[in-house]
Tab-separated table of all heavy atoms in Angstrom:
chain	number	residue	atom	x	y	z
A	12	MET	N	10.779	8.224	-10.269
A	12	MET	CA	10.802	7.584	-8.953
A	12	MET	C	11.302	6.151	-9.065
A	12	MET	O	10.541	5.205	-9.147
A	12	MET	CB	9.374	7.586	-8.366
A	12	MET	CG	8.894	8.918	-7.868
A	12	MET	SD	7.434	8.848	-6.845
A	12	MET	CE	6.158	8.515	-8.039
A	13	ASP	N	12.599	6.012	-9.084
A	13	ASP	CA	13.215	4.715	-9.173
A	13	ASP	C	13.047	3.860	-7.927
A	13	ASP	O	13.123	2.678	-8.030
A	13	ASP	CB	14.721	4.883	-9.461
A	13	ASP	CG	14.940	5.518	-10.833
A	13	ASP	OD1	14.056	5.475	-11.694
A	13	ASP	OD2	16.043	6.050	-11.002
A	14	ASN	N	12.870	4.484	-6.792
A	14	ASN	CA	12.800	3.725	-5.547
A	14	ASN	C	11.336	3.415	-5.138
A	14	ASN	O	11.084	3.147	-3.977
A	14	ASN	CB	13.561	4.431	-4.438
A	14	ASN	CG	13.113	5.878	-4.205
A	14	ASN	OD1	12.356	6.422	-5.008
A	14	ASN	ND2	13.551	6.445	-3.142
A	15	VAL	N	10.415	3.441	-6.066
A	15	VAL	CA	9.022	3.106	-5.771
A	15	VAL	C	8.880	1.577	-5.588
A	15	VAL	O	9.406	0.820	-6.395
A	15	VAL	CB	8.085	3.580	-6.909
A	15	VAL	CG1	6.678	3.008	-6.682
A	15	VAL	CG2	8.077	5.049	-7.047
A	16	LYS	N	8.233	1.237	-4.498
A	16	LYS	CA	7.878	-0.200	-4.269
A	16	LYS	C	6.396	-0.321	-4.287
A	16	LYS	O	5.670	0.514	-3.715
A	16	LYS	CB	8.449	-0.669	-2.936
A	16	LYS	CG	9.975	-0.611	-2.869
A	16	LYS	CD	10.495	-1.045	-1.523
A	16	LYS	CE	11.982	-0.947	-1.507
A	16	LYS	NZ	12.554	-1.269	-0.236
A	17	ARG	N	5.924	-1.312	-4.983
A	17	ARG	CA	4.452	-1.535	-5.114
A	17	ARG	C	4.058	-2.818	-4.408
A	17	ARG	O	4.705	-3.859	-4.608
A	17	ARG	CB	4.065	-1.594	-6.560
A	17	ARG	CG	4.147	-0.299	-7.277
A	17	ARG	CD	3.724	-0.416	-8.762
A	17	ARG	NE	4.054	0.786	-9.459
A	17	ARG	CZ	5.261	1.041	-10.024
A	17	ARG	NH1	6.220	0.150	-9.903
A	17	ARG	NH2	5.494	2.156	-10.626
A	18	PHE	N	3.023	-2.755	-3.620
A	18	PHE	CA	2.498	-3.879	-2.847
A	18	PHE	C	1.020	-3.961	-3.131
A	18	PHE	O	0.282	-2.994	-3.036
A	18	PHE	CB	2.766	-3.696	-1.319
A	18	PHE	CG	4.213	-3.521	-1.020
A	18	PHE	CD1	4.737	-2.272	-0.860
A	18	PHE	CD2	5.040	-4.620	-0.861
A	18	PHE	CE1	6.044	-2.081	-0.518
A	18	PHE	CE2	6.385	-4.468	-0.567
A	18	PHE	CZ	6.918	-3.195	-0.392
A	19	ALA	N	0.566	-5.205	-3.420
A	19	ALA	CA	-0.847	-5.440	-3.650
A	19	ALA	C	-1.388	-6.355	-2.576
A	19	ALA	O	-0.685	-7.224	-2.043
A	19	ALA	CB	-1.062	-6.052	-5.047
A	20	ALA	N	-2.715	-6.192	-2.284
A	20	ALA	CA	-3.358	-7.005	-1.292
A	20	ALA	C	-4.859	-7.102	-1.532
A	20	ALA	O	-5.377	-6.286	-2.330
A	20	ALA	CB	-3.088	-6.436	0.130
A	21	HIS	N	-5.468	-8.048	-0.896
A	21	HIS	CA	-6.931	-8.182	-0.995
A	21	HIS	C	-7.663	-6.972	-0.508
A	21	HIS	O	-8.673	-6.544	-1.095
A	21	HIS	CB	-7.449	-9.366	-0.223
A	21	HIS	CG	-6.981	-10.713	-0.773
A	21	HIS	ND1	-5.890	-11.398	-0.266
A	21	HIS	CD2	-7.450	-11.432	-1.792
A	21	HIS	CE1	-5.725	-12.489	-0.959
A	21	HIS	NE2	-6.661	-12.564	-1.886
A	22	GLU	N	-7.128	-6.359	0.588
A	22	GLU	CA	-7.773	-5.174	1.173
A	22	GLU	C	-6.688	-4.171	1.538
A	22	GLU	O	-5.644	-4.507	2.073
A	22	GLU	CB	-8.525	-5.506	2.467
A	22	GLU	CG	-9.797	-6.271	2.286
A	22	GLU	CD	-10.509	-6.441	3.606
A	22	GLU	OE1	-9.919	-6.164	4.718
A	22	GLU	OE2	-11.663	-6.845	3.584
A	23	ILE	N	-7.051	-2.886	1.279
A	23	ILE	CA	-6.211	-1.731	1.751
A	23	ILE	C	-7.090	-0.933	2.668
A	23	ILE	O	-8.107	-0.411	2.224
A	23	ILE	CB	-5.731	-0.870	0.581
A	23	ILE	CG1	-5.131	-1.665	-0.537
A	23	ILE	CG2	-4.796	0.232	1.103
A	23	ILE	CD1	-3.876	-2.399	-0.246
A	24	ARG	N	-6.744	-0.853	3.932
A	24	ARG	CA	-7.526	-0.070	4.917
A	24	ARG	C	-6.904	1.302	5.102
A	24	ARG	O	-5.728	1.375	5.537
A	24	ARG	CB	-7.653	-0.795	6.241
A	24	ARG	CG	-8.446	-2.064	6.030
A	24	ARG	CD	-8.969	-2.582	7.295
A	24	ARG	NE	-9.654	-3.849	7.009
A	24	ARG	CZ	-10.396	-4.499	7.771
A	24	ARG	NH1	-10.662	-3.957	8.962
A	24	ARG	NH2	-10.942	-5.624	7.478
A	25	MET	N	-7.675	2.333	4.804
A	25	MET	CA	-7.165	3.701	4.909
A	25	MET	C	-7.403	4.250	6.329
A	25	MET	O	-8.209	3.780	7.048
A	25	MET	CB	-7.876	4.544	3.871
A	25	MET	CG	-7.770	4.044	2.401
A	25	MET	SD	-6.037	4.009	1.898
A	25	MET	CE	-5.720	5.751	1.803
A	26	PRO	N	-6.650	5.308	6.693
A	26	PRO	CA	-6.789	5.925	8.030
A	26	PRO	C	-8.203	6.393	8.308
A	26	PRO	O	-8.649	6.360	9.477
A	26	PRO	CB	-5.853	7.093	7.995
A	26	PRO	CG	-4.849	6.782	6.937
A	26	PRO	CD	-5.577	5.956	5.943
A	27	ASP	N	-8.980	6.766	7.310
A	27	ASP	CA	-10.353	7.259	7.532
A	27	ASP	C	-11.362	6.144	7.643
A	27	ASP	O	-12.547	6.375	7.712
A	27	ASP	CB	-10.729	8.230	6.425
A	27	ASP	CG	-10.825	7.574	5.048
A	27	ASP	OD1	-10.595	6.366	4.914
A	27	ASP	OD2	-11.094	8.327	4.053
A	28	GLY	N	-10.890	4.884	7.586
A	28	GLY	CA	-11.778	3.760	7.721
A	28	GLY	C	-12.224	3.150	6.381
A	28	GLY	O	-12.806	2.078	6.331
A	29	GLU	N	-11.996	3.900	5.287
A	29	GLU	CA	-12.357	3.395	3.972
A	29	GLU	C	-11.510	2.090	3.672
A	29	GLU	O	-10.345	1.986	4.096
A	29	GLU	CB	-12.011	4.459	2.912
A	29	GLU	CG	-12.439	4.021	1.494
A	29	GLU	CD	-12.058	5.106	0.486
A	29	GLU	OE1	-11.918	6.273	0.861
A	29	GLU	OE2	-11.957	4.713	-0.743
A	30	CYS	N	-12.140	1.196	2.988
A	30	CYS	CA	-11.488	-0.064	2.608
A	30	CYS	C	-11.559	-0.241	1.106
A	30	CYS	O	-12.629	-0.260	0.530
A	30	CYS	CB	-12.147	-1.236	3.313
A	30	CYS	SG	-11.298	-2.795	3.049
A	31	LEU	N	-10.371	-0.377	0.512
A	31	LEU	CA	-10.265	-0.646	-0.918
A	31	LEU	C	-10.050	-2.107	-1.107
A	31	LEU	O	-9.104	-2.688	-0.573
A	31	LEU	CB	-9.111	0.170	-1.527
A	31	LEU	CG	-8.792	-0.041	-2.987
A	31	LEU	CD1	-9.971	0.343	-3.890
A	31	LEU	CD2	-7.541	0.702	-3.388
A	32	VAL	N	-10.937	-2.761	-1.877
A	32	VAL	CA	-10.790	-4.206	-2.165
A	32	VAL	C	-9.939	-4.360	-3.375
A	32	VAL	O	-10.170	-3.728	-4.399
A	32	VAL	CB	-12.182	-4.828	-2.367
A	32	VAL	CG1	-12.073	-6.309	-2.723
A	32	VAL	CG2	-13.035	-4.669	-1.079
A	33	MET	N	-8.950	-5.273	-3.316
A	33	MET	CA	-8.003	-5.512	-4.385
A	33	MET	C	-7.273	-4.248	-4.789
A	33	MET	O	-7.632	-3.588	-5.785
A	33	MET	CB	-8.681	-6.173	-5.566
A	33	MET	CG	-9.315	-7.487	-5.273
A	33	MET	SD	-8.145	-8.727	-4.724
A	33	MET	CE	-7.302	-9.105	-6.210
A	34	GLY	N	-6.323	-3.828	-3.991
A	34	GLY	CA	-5.621	-2.598	-4.201
A	34	GLY	C	-4.100	-2.683	-4.230
A	34	GLY	O	-3.539	-3.687	-3.901
A	35	VAL	N	-3.500	-1.563	-4.658
A	35	VAL	CA	-2.053	-1.447	-4.757
A	35	VAL	C	-1.642	-0.228	-3.934
A	35	VAL	O	-2.293	0.823	-3.940
A	35	VAL	CB	-1.577	-1.252	-6.211
A	35	VAL	CG1	-0.095	-1.038	-6.249
A	35	VAL	CG2	-2.011	-2.455	-7.058
A	36	VAL	N	-0.558	-0.410	-3.172
A	36	VAL	CA	0.009	0.697	-2.400
A	36	VAL	C	1.397	0.981	-3.007
A	36	VAL	O	2.217	0.043	-3.102
A	36	VAL	CB	0.152	0.346	-0.914
A	36	VAL	CG1	0.792	1.482	-0.130
A	36	VAL	CG2	-1.192	0.043	-0.329
A	37	GLU	N	1.678	2.216	-3.347
A	37	GLU	CA	3.040	2.596	-3.809
A	37	GLU	C	3.751	3.287	-2.608
A	37	GLU	O	3.178	4.240	-2.027
A	37	GLU	CB	2.980	3.544	-4.968
A	37	GLU	CG	2.478	2.861	-6.214
A	37	GLU	CD	2.517	3.767	-7.442
A	37	GLU	OE1	2.597	5.002	-7.308
A	37	GLU	OE2	2.426	3.230	-8.553
A	38	VAL	N	4.946	2.790	-2.273
A	38	VAL	CA	5.691	3.305	-1.145
A	38	VAL	C	7.052	3.808	-1.671
A	38	VAL	O	7.738	3.139	-2.423
A	38	VAL	CB	5.924	2.191	-0.125
A	38	VAL	CG1	6.768	2.673	1.070
A	38	VAL	CG2	4.599	1.644	0.391
A	39	VAL	N	7.456	5.018	-1.219
A	39	VAL	CA	8.729	5.591	-1.530
A	39	VAL	C	9.395	5.966	-0.219
A	39	VAL	O	8.831	6.736	0.541
A	39	VAL	CB	8.613	6.859	-2.441
A	39	VAL	CG1	9.968	7.459	-2.699
A	39	VAL	CG2	7.908	6.509	-3.755
A	40	ASP	N	10.529	5.360	0.021
A	40	ASP	CA	11.284	5.628	1.248
A	40	ASP	C	10.448	5.493	2.480
A	40	ASP	O	10.480	6.290	3.397
A	40	ASP	CB	11.939	7.026	1.178
A	40	ASP	CG	12.951	7.180	0.083
A	40	ASP	OD1	13.624	6.216	-0.279
A	40	ASP	OD2	13.089	8.332	-0.479
A	41	GLY	N	9.593	4.438	2.503
A	41	GLY	CA	8.785	4.122	3.666
A	41	GLY	C	7.487	4.912	3.790
A	41	GLY	O	6.744	4.734	4.732
A	42	THR	N	7.227	5.826	2.868
A	42	THR	CA	6.056	6.677	2.916
A	42	THR	C	5.105	6.325	1.767
A	42	THR	O	5.572	6.184	0.637
A	42	THR	CB	6.409	8.159	2.843
A	42	THR	OG1	7.268	8.460	4.006
A	42	THR	CG2	5.247	9.026	2.880
A	43	VAL	N	3.876	6.159	2.105
A	43	VAL	CA	2.867	5.872	1.027
A	43	VAL	C	2.691	7.102	0.142
A	43	VAL	O	2.420	8.209	0.614
A	43	VAL	CB	1.479	5.522	1.631
A	43	VAL	CG1	0.401	5.354	0.599
A	43	VAL	CG2	1.625	4.227	2.507
A	44	LYS	N	2.831	6.888	-1.164
A	44	LYS	CA	2.696	7.975	-2.100
A	44	LYS	C	1.409	7.848	-2.956
A	44	LYS	O	0.909	8.859	-3.479
A	44	LYS	CB	3.895	8.043	-3.069
A	44	LYS	CG	5.192	8.400	-2.362
A	44	LYS	CD	5.114	9.743	-1.716
A	44	LYS	CE	6.425	10.122	-1.032
A	44	LYS	NZ	6.355	11.403	-0.324
A	45	ASN	N	0.888	6.609	-3.126
A	45	ASN	CA	-0.278	6.457	-3.929
A	45	ASN	C	-0.974	5.146	-3.550
A	45	ASN	O	-0.285	4.146	-3.207
A	45	ASN	CB	0.113	6.394	-5.383
A	45	ASN	CG	-0.972	6.654	-6.349
A	45	ASN	OD1	-2.080	7.046	-5.956
A	45	ASN	ND2	-0.736	6.379	-7.623
A	46	VAL	N	-2.283	5.151	-3.656
A	46	VAL	CA	-3.098	3.939	-3.422
A	46	VAL	C	-4.147	3.884	-4.526
A	46	VAL	O	-4.794	4.936	-4.816
A	46	VAL	CB	-3.819	3.989	-2.044
A	46	VAL	CG1	-4.710	2.774	-1.873
A	46	VAL	CG2	-2.821	4.094	-0.908
A	47	TYR	N	-4.300	2.754	-5.180
A	47	TYR	CA	-5.251	2.673	-6.301
A	47	TYR	C	-5.727	1.198	-6.491
A	47	TYR	O	-5.058	0.274	-5.981
A	47	TYR	CB	-4.679	3.202	-7.562
A	47	TYR	CG	-3.339	2.623	-7.970
A	47	TYR	CD1	-3.234	1.495	-8.736
A	47	TYR	CD2	-2.124	3.198	-7.546
A	47	TYR	CE1	-2.018	0.953	-9.135
A	47	TYR	CE2	-0.940	2.681	-7.900
A	47	TYR	CZ	-0.864	1.527	-8.669
A	47	TYR	OH	0.377	0.989	-9.047
A	48	PRO	N	-6.880	1.037	-7.150
A	48	PRO	CA	-7.382	-0.305	-7.382
A	48	PRO	C	-6.456	-1.164	-8.255
A	48	PRO	O	-5.811	-0.660	-9.197
A	48	PRO	CB	-8.712	-0.065	-8.087
A	48	PRO	CG	-9.027	1.383	-7.916
A	48	PRO	CD	-7.749	2.073	-7.695
A	49	LEU	N	-6.363	-2.410	-7.948
A	49	LEU	CA	-5.579	-3.354	-8.748
A	49	LEU	C	-6.547	-3.818	-9.899
A	49	LEU	O	-7.524	-4.500	-9.679
A	49	LEU	CB	-5.201	-4.579	-7.901
A	49	LEU	CG	-4.452	-5.701	-8.660
A	49	LEU	CD1	-3.161	-5.194	-9.217
A	49	LEU	CD2	-4.243	-6.883	-7.735
A	50	GLU	N	-6.160	-3.374	-11.082
A	50	GLU	CA	-7.037	-3.709	-12.225
A	50	GLU	C	-6.353	-4.756	-13.158
A	50	GLU	O	-7.064	-5.521	-13.800
A	50	GLU	CB	-7.381	-2.451	-13.028
A	50	GLU	CG	-8.200	-1.473	-12.193
A	50	GLU	CD	-8.489	-0.158	-12.887
A	50	GLU	OE1	-7.973	0.050	-14.004
A	50	GLU	OE2	-9.238	0.615	-12.302
A	51	ASP	N	-5.085	-4.741	-13.223
A	51	ASP	CA	-4.320	-5.685	-14.048
A	51	ASP	C	-3.028	-6.077	-13.301
A	51	ASP	O	-2.606	-5.354	-12.418
A	51	ASP	CB	-3.892	-5.021	-15.391
A	51	ASP	CG	-5.075	-4.679	-16.245
A	51	ASP	OD1	-5.966	-5.526	-16.419
A	51	ASP	OD2	-5.095	-3.539	-16.786
A	52	GLU	N	-2.450	-7.169	-13.685
A	52	GLU	CA	-1.175	-7.552	-13.170
A	52	GLU	C	-0.170	-6.535	-13.557
A	52	GLU	O	-0.113	-6.100	-14.709
A	52	GLU	CB	-0.790	-8.954	-13.673
A	52	GLU	CG	0.462	-9.461	-12.992
A	52	GLU	CD	0.765	-10.873	-13.391
A	52	GLU	OE1	-0.152	-11.678	-13.623
A	52	GLU	OE2	1.957	-11.222	-13.450
A	53	GLN	N	0.631	-6.091	-12.550
A	53	GLN	CA	1.656	-5.081	-12.851
A	53	GLN	C	3.040	-5.547	-12.572
A	53	GLN	O	3.239	-6.260	-11.510
A	53	GLN	CB	1.384	-3.797	-11.967
A	53	GLN	CG	0.058	-3.190	-12.225
A	53	GLN	CD	-0.150	-1.971	-11.341
A	53	GLN	OE1	0.760	-1.479	-10.698
A	53	GLN	NE2	-1.397	-1.509	-11.265
A	54	ALA	N	3.986	-5.179	-13.420
A	54	ALA	CA	5.362	-5.556	-13.202
A	54	ALA	C	5.883	-4.892	-11.943
A	54	ALA	O	5.388	-3.762	-11.553
A	54	ALA	CB	6.208	-5.122	-14.410
A	55	GLN	N	6.770	-5.512	-11.252
A	55	GLN	CA	7.436	-4.929	-10.109
A	55	GLN	C	6.497	-4.705	-8.948
A	55	GLN	O	6.672	-3.739	-8.195
A	55	GLN	CB	8.215	-3.688	-10.439
A	55	GLN	CG	9.255	-3.815	-11.577
A	55	GLN	CD	10.308	-4.843	-11.238
A	55	GLN	OE1	10.866	-4.820	-10.173
A	55	GLN	NE2	10.616	-5.711	-12.193
A	56	THR	N	5.441	-5.477	-8.856
A	56	THR	CA	4.486	-5.412	-7.750
A	56	THR	C	4.519	-6.703	-6.938
A	56	THR	O	4.406	-7.784	-7.440
A	56	THR	CB	3.060	-5.183	-8.267
A	56	THR	OG1	3.042	-3.968	-9.055
A	56	THR	CG2	2.035	-5.060	-7.149
A	57	VAL	N	4.697	-6.522	-5.621
A	57	VAL	CA	4.760	-7.656	-4.701
A	57	VAL	C	3.347	-7.950	-4.168
A	57	VAL	O	2.743	-7.042	-3.592
A	57	VAL	CB	5.726	-7.371	-3.533
A	57	VAL	CG1	5.723	-8.509	-2.536
A	57	VAL	CG2	7.094	-7.070	-4.055
A	58	TRP	N	2.913	-9.187	-4.363
A	58	TRP	CA	1.599	-9.571	-3.868
A	58	TRP	C	1.749	-10.016	-2.425
A	58	TRP	O	2.428	-11.031	-2.119
A	58	TRP	CB	1.011	-10.694	-4.725
A	58	TRP	CG	-0.310	-11.177	-4.167
A	58	TRP	CD1	-0.513	-12.332	-3.432
A	58	TRP	CD2	-1.567	-10.525	-4.201
A	58	TRP	NE1	-1.828	-12.420	-3.079
A	58	TRP	CE2	-2.496	-11.318	-3.536
A	58	TRP	CE3	-2.003	-9.345	-4.765
A	58	TRP	CZ2	-3.818	-10.971	-3.376
A	58	TRP	CZ3	-3.327	-8.959	-4.595
A	58	TRP	CH2	-4.240	-9.828	-3.939
A	59	LEU	N	1.124	-9.287	-1.498
A	59	LEU	CA	1.198	-9.662	-0.088
A	59	LEU	C	-0.057	-10.392	0.376
A	59	LEU	O	-0.034	-11.069	1.368
A	59	LEU	CB	1.365	-8.373	0.775
A	59	LEU	CG	2.660	-7.609	0.558
A	59	LEU	CD1	2.686	-6.390	1.459
A	59	LEU	CD2	3.861	-8.496	0.824
A	60	GLY	N	-1.175	-10.213	-0.323
A	60	GLY	CA	-2.415	-10.826	0.102
A	60	GLY	C	-2.883	-10.217	1.413
A	60	GLY	O	-2.314	-9.324	1.937
A	61	GLY	N	-4.009	-10.722	1.885
A	61	GLY	CA	-4.546	-10.238	3.173
A	61	GLY	C	-4.850	-8.752	3.176
A	61	GLY	O	-5.427	-8.250	2.168
A	62	THR	N	-4.473	-8.089	4.243
A	62	THR	CA	-4.806	-6.718	4.406
A	62	THR	C	-3.556	-5.862	4.689
A	62	THR	O	-2.713	-6.245	5.478
A	62	THR	CB	-5.756	-6.486	5.607
A	62	THR	OG1	-6.940	-7.338	5.399
A	62	THR	CG2	-6.147	-5.090	5.848
A	63	ILE	N	-3.493	-4.743	3.973
A	63	ILE	CA	-2.446	-3.692	4.228
A	63	ILE	C	-3.228	-2.556	4.970
A	63	ILE	O	-4.259	-2.135	4.491
A	63	ILE	CB	-1.805	-3.179	2.933
A	63	ILE	CG1	-1.031	-4.308	2.284
A	63	ILE	CG2	-0.923	-1.997	3.233
A	63	ILE	CD1	-0.448	-3.976	0.869
A	64	VAL	N	-2.631	-2.121	6.031
A	64	VAL	CA	-3.260	-1.021	6.805
A	64	VAL	C	-2.409	0.214	6.616
A	64	VAL	O	-1.172	0.176	6.820
A	64	VAL	CB	-3.315	-1.377	8.305
A	64	VAL	CG1	-3.882	-0.197	9.109
A	64	VAL	CG2	-4.194	-2.644	8.519
A	65	ILE	N	-3.015	1.322	6.230
A	65	ILE	CA	-2.371	2.595	6.042
A	65	ILE	C	-2.655	3.437	7.310
A	65	ILE	O	-3.813	3.595	7.708
A	65	ILE	CB	-2.909	3.354	4.809
A	65	ILE	CG1	-2.905	2.494	3.575
A	65	ILE	CG2	-2.168	4.653	4.638
A	65	ILE	CD1	-1.552	2.230	2.977
A	66	ARG	N	-1.569	3.966	7.926
A	66	ARG	CA	-1.743	4.733	9.124
A	66	ARG	C	-1.141	6.136	8.911
A	66	ARG	O	-0.117	6.273	8.267
A	66	ARG	CB	-0.992	4.123	10.314
A	66	ARG	CG	-1.517	2.783	10.676
A	66	ARG	CD	-0.766	2.222	11.862
A	66	ARG	NE	-1.172	0.809	12.086
A	66	ARG	CZ	-0.402	-0.076	12.708
A	66	ARG	NH1	0.809	0.241	13.104
A	66	ARG	NH2	-0.823	-1.331	12.851
A	67	GLN	N	-1.791	7.119	9.475
A	67	GLN	CA	-1.242	8.491	9.462
A	67	GLN	C	-0.207	8.584	10.583
A	67	GLN	O	-0.551	8.299	11.778
A	67	GLN	CB	-2.411	9.497	9.749
A	67	GLN	CG	-1.979	10.935	9.638
A	67	GLN	CD	-1.882	11.418	8.192
A	67	GLN	OE1	-2.700	11.115	7.382
A	67	GLN	NE2	-0.801	12.169	7.967
A	68	GLU	N	0.969	9.014	10.217
A	68	GLU	CA	2.027	9.231	11.258
A	68	GLU	C	2.634	10.560	11.016
A	68	GLU	O	3.394	10.780	10.089
A	68	GLU	CB	3.060	8.100	11.169
A	68	GLU	CG	2.537	6.729	11.505
A	68	GLU	CD	3.550	5.641	11.561
A	68	GLU	OE1	4.758	5.919	11.380
A	68	GLU	OE2	3.172	4.503	11.756
A	69	GLY	N	2.226	11.539	11.803
A	69	GLY	CA	2.591	12.906	11.576
A	69	GLY	C	2.025	13.372	10.258
A	69	GLY	O	0.785	13.246	10.054
A	70	GLU	N	2.847	13.885	9.411
A	70	GLU	CA	2.389	14.343	8.093
A	70	GLU	C	2.384	13.256	7.009
A	70	GLU	O	1.973	13.522	5.872
A	70	GLU	CB	3.189	15.521	7.630
A	70	GLU	CG	3.083	16.734	8.531
A	70	GLU	CD	3.895	17.971	8.097
A	70	GLU	OE1	4.397	17.900	6.927
A	70	GLU	OE2	4.061	18.864	8.825
A	71	ASN	N	2.873	12.111	7.365
A	71	ASN	CA	3.059	11.025	6.348
A	71	ASN	C	2.069	9.880	6.564
A	71	ASN	O	1.613	9.664	7.664
A	71	ASN	CB	4.522	10.490	6.427
A	71	ASN	CG	5.502	11.553	6.042
A	71	ASN	OD1	5.380	12.242	5.083
A	71	ASN	ND2	6.560	11.615	6.851
A	72	LEU	N	1.857	9.155	5.503
A	72	LEU	CA	1.122	7.917	5.558
A	72	LEU	C	2.129	6.790	5.485
A	72	LEU	O	3.042	6.739	4.692
A	72	LEU	CB	0.171	7.805	4.384
A	72	LEU	CG	-1.011	8.820	4.351
A	72	LEU	CD1	-1.782	8.663	3.043
A	72	LEU	CD2	-1.896	8.640	5.567
A	73	LYS	N	1.933	5.774	6.373
A	73	LYS	CA	2.812	4.607	6.411
A	73	LYS	C	1.947	3.375	6.198
A	73	LYS	O	0.790	3.309	6.642
A	73	LYS	CB	3.509	4.488	7.752
A	73	LYS	CG	4.337	5.724	8.096
A	73	LYS	CD	5.596	5.813	7.240
A	73	LYS	CE	6.451	6.989	7.650
A	73	LYS	NZ	7.702	7.052	6.947
A	74	ALA	N	2.515	2.358	5.543
A	74	ALA	CA	1.788	1.075	5.279
A	74	ALA	C	2.305	-0.012	6.170
A	74	ALA	O	3.539	-0.151	6.337
A	74	ALA	CB	1.952	0.718	3.800
A	75	TYR	N	1.410	-0.866	6.644
A	75	TYR	CA	1.766	-1.988	7.472
A	75	TYR	C	1.039	-3.231	7.045
A	75	TYR	O	-0.125	-3.218	6.629
A	75	TYR	CB	1.344	-1.696	8.962
A	75	TYR	CG	2.136	-0.608	9.575
A	75	TYR	CD1	1.761	0.738	9.370
A	75	TYR	CD2	3.220	-0.827	10.342
A	75	TYR	CE1	2.482	1.749	9.929
A	75	TYR	CE2	3.949	0.129	10.960
A	75	TYR	CZ	3.601	1.459	10.711
A	75	TYR	OH	4.337	2.471	11.307
A	76	LYS	N	1.769	-4.333	7.118
A	76	LYS	CA	1.193	-5.693	6.911
A	76	LYS	C	1.502	-6.511	8.170
A	76	LYS	O	2.674	-6.591	8.556
A	76	LYS	CB	1.829	-6.299	5.682
A	76	LYS	CG	1.511	-7.806	5.426
A	76	LYS	CD	0.101	-7.962	5.002
A	76	LYS	CE	-0.093	-9.406	4.616
A	76	LYS	NZ	-1.388	-9.911	4.953
A	77	SER	N	0.476	-6.985	8.839
A	77	SER	CA	0.673	-7.748	10.108
A	77	SER	C	1.439	-6.930	11.127
A	77	SER	O	2.367	-7.423	11.788
A	77	SER	CB	1.377	-9.110	9.826
A	77	SER	OG	0.652	-9.869	8.923
A	78	ASN	N	1.120	-5.654	11.209
A	78	ASN	CA	1.725	-4.696	12.189
A	78	ASN	C	3.184	-4.460	11.934
A	78	ASN	O	3.882	-3.936	12.816
A	78	ASN	CB	1.482	-5.153	13.615
A	78	ASN	CG	0.081	-4.833	14.087
A	78	ASN	OD1	-0.464	-3.815	13.721
A	78	ASN	ND2	-0.528	-5.716	14.851
A	79	LYS	N	3.716	-4.806	10.785
A	79	LYS	CA	5.096	-4.530	10.391
A	79	LYS	C	5.162	-3.581	9.210
A	79	LYS	O	4.366	-3.760	8.279
A	79	LYS	CB	5.845	-5.840	10.088
A	79	LYS	CG	5.919	-6.811	11.224
A	79	LYS	CD	6.631	-8.045	10.856
A	79	LYS	CE	6.590	-8.989	12.090
A	79	LYS	NZ	7.105	-10.289	11.750
A	80	PRO	N	5.992	-2.546	9.283
A	80	PRO	CA	6.064	-1.602	8.188
A	80	PRO	C	6.523	-2.279	6.907
A	80	PRO	O	7.359	-3.205	6.913
A	80	PRO	CB	7.102	-0.551	8.640
A	80	PRO	CG	7.723	-1.141	9.851
A	80	PRO	CD	6.958	-2.251	10.342
A	81	ILE	N	5.941	-1.801	5.783
A	81	ILE	CA	6.385	-2.331	4.477
A	81	ILE	C	6.979	-1.190	3.657
A	81	ILE	O	6.832	-0.037	3.972
A	81	ILE	CB	5.248	-3.002	3.703
A	81	ILE	CG1	4.112	-2.021	3.467
A	81	ILE	CG2	4.817	-4.287	4.430
A	81	ILE	CD1	3.019	-2.614	2.558
């Protein structure tokens, strides 16, 4: 997956209401593929800070920061 983009933030809010503190979201072509705890600094990860919100859109999960897609 060469086109994976990783974004880290203080909080990741999932569609079911669950909140992951200090997490990473992996996005491929605008769709969330993986969410996991931030345990170590990772190469090629953009720190956004604040909160990333994950929304269910049809069959896909999409990630937003300040109501803008990431």
Side-chain angles (χ1 to χ4, degrees):
M12 285 194 287
D13 294 338
N14 54 350
V15 172
K16 296 179 182 177
R17 290 179 191 85
F18 302 96
H21 292 98
E22 289 185 347
I23 311 294
R24 294 200 185 192
M25 303 300 291
D27 64 2
E29 181 182 340
C30 184
L31 175 64
V32 176
M33 298 300 287
V35 177
V36 177
E37 290 183 344
V38 177
V39 177
D40 298 328
T42 299
V43 174
K44 295 299 181 182
N45 199 10
V46 178
Y47 52 90
L49 176 64
E50 296 178 354
D51 296 312
E52 187 173 327
Q53 298 179 14
Q55 306 300 313
T56 301
V57 177
W58 176 256
L59 296 179
T62 302
I63 294 173
V64 177
I65 310 285
R66 298 181 188 154
Q67 185 78 43
E68 295 186 4
E70 295 182 12
N71 297 315
L72 295 174
K73 303 290 184 172
Y75 292 85
K76 171 73 172 143
S77 300
N78 283 323
K79 297 179 183 173
I81 57 172

